[in-house]
Amino acid sequence: MSHGSTYRYFMGEPLIPFGFGMSYTNFSYSNLKIGSPTIQPCQNETVTVTVTNTGSLDGDEVTQVYIKWRNASVPTPTLQLAGFTRTELPTKGSSALTFLIEPRMLAVYDNQLVVQPGTIEVYVGGQQPGQKLSLSSNVLQGQFTITGSQVPLSKCK
């Protein structure tokens, strides 16, 4: 795939970003924790975050987790949705959420699906990172590094 040929590689600004929605209340994200700063190619990574309803009404929030390859040797999506969940929160209520990033989510195509060493940026919040249409929540950023050698995804159990 070449850059710009599908939505995964689109470099422009979408009219309505994926996951864009409106709420009657506000949410705040905090306490982003990446399970391990480094993993091997076939290991899972965990991401935990706390979401809080900071508004004056009960509400639902859809928390989204995106990943981005910082230094892959092949073309990769601009952002890839790696997980999401809907959470009902009462006014001033909080919830700790945990997401699992599996090797299949980290695989890139290099004549076959492989997991390459490199740095993966992780974004967690109620919207895509860098979105111009701002919502009533924030986006947190973290990262982890895949170390070792490139491994075919088929070798990951």
Side-chain angles (χ1 to χ4, degrees):
M1 281 292 143
S2 62
H3 284 285
S5 63
T6 71
Y7 75 94
R8 290 183 65 161
Y9 301 93
F10 181 65
M11 299 303 285
E13 184 69 29
L15 181 61
I16 305 289
F18 179 77
F20 183 79
M22 302 197 54
S23 179
Y24 294 104
T25 192
N26 298 316
F27 297 93
S28 178
Y29 289 87
S30 61
N31 302 323
L32 176 64
K33 292 187 177 81
I34 307 294
S36 177
T38 60
I39 63 169
Q40 293 296 310
C42 291
Q43 287 182 307
N44 293 328
E45 181 65 280
T46 57
V47 175
T48 55
V49 68
T50 301
V51 59
T52 302
N53 180 345
T54 59
S56 59
L57 298 171
D58 295 352
D60 287 8
E61 174 72 335
V62 177
T63 301
Q64 304 162 41
V65 178
Y66 293 92
I67 57 174
K68 179 179 183 177
W69 291 259
R70 190 180 293 165
N71 49 2
S73 67
V74 295
T76 59
T78 306
L79 287 172
Q80 178 171 306
L81 182 65
F84 67 93
T85 190
R86 178 180 296 274
T87 308
E88 273 186 59
L89 289 171
T91 302
K92 308 303 179 204
S94 291
S95 182
L97 306 174
T98 300
F99 296 90
L100 187 65
I101 299 176
E102 301 173 19
R104 66 180 174 79
M105 299 171 186
L106 301 168
V108 297
Y109 190 77
D110 187 11
N111 294 320
Q112 64 178 326
L113 286 172
V114 297
V115 181
Q116 294 184 336
T119 301
I120 304 294
E121 295 178 4
V122 179
Y123 302 92
V124 183
Q127 60 188 334
Q128 286 185 1
Q131 196 170 283
K132 287 185 181 167
L133 292 172
S134 168
L135 295 177
S136 58
S137 69
N138 57 321
V139 176
L140 302 178
Q141 180 181 354
Q143 69 179 31
F144 64 93
T145 301
I146 302 169
T147 60
S149 301
Q150 176 172 296
V151 174
L153 182 61
S154 62
K155 301 277 186 202
C156 298
K157 304 280 183 228

